[in-house]
């Protein structure tokens, strides 16, 4: 999925592509495949969150709060 969405333009297409990929994984590999995808992405997201926190001198909670705020701002546009 990351090879498909990293650098995707416009960035607003990322959620749509992620949705399509999860549908293909579910169809091709079933619920177990979808669980594996979630486990892999969770591990990657955790590592990246910790890295951003370390590089910026913020706590992981502060990084996650920033991401949550961005999500809420995006949702408020609907």
């Amino acid at each position: 999925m990351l090879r498909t969405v990293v650098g995707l333009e416009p960035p607003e297409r990322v959620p749509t592509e992620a949705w399509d990929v999860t549908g293909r994984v579910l169809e091709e590999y079933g619920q177990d495949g979808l669980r594996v995808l979630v486990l892999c992405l969770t591990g990657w997201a955790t590592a990246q969150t910790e890295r951003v926190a370390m590089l910026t001198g913020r706590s992981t909670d502060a990084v996650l709060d920033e991401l949550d705020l961005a999500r809420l701002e995006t949702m408020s546009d609907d």
Side-chain angles (χ1 to χ4, degrees):
M1 179 180 344
L2 292 174
R3 290 189 187 277
T4 304
V5 299
V6 170
L8 191 62
E9 291 296 333
E12 292 81 13
R13 289 183 43 210
V14 171
T16 302
E17 184 60 30
W19 183 267
D20 292 345
V21 168
T22 56
R24 290 192 301 269
V25 167
L26 185 58
E27 184 178 303
E28 200 168 324
Y29 301 103
Q31 287 185 347
D32 286 344
L34 195 55
R35 286 185 179 116
V36 168
L37 176 63
V38 168
L39 289 171
C40 291
L41 291 175
T42 300
W44 177 84
T46 299
Q48 293 306 312
T49 301
E50 291 170 353
R51 182 177 179 172
V52 168
M54 182 186 68
L55 291 173
T56 61
R58 295 182 289 165
S59 69
T60 53
D61 281 335
V63 173
L64 292 172
D65 288 346
E66 182 181 346
L67 290 170
D68 220 14
L69 181 60
R71 179 185 58 83
L72 291 171
E73 288 173 348
T74 301
M75 290 176 61
S76 70
D77 290 343
D78 293 340

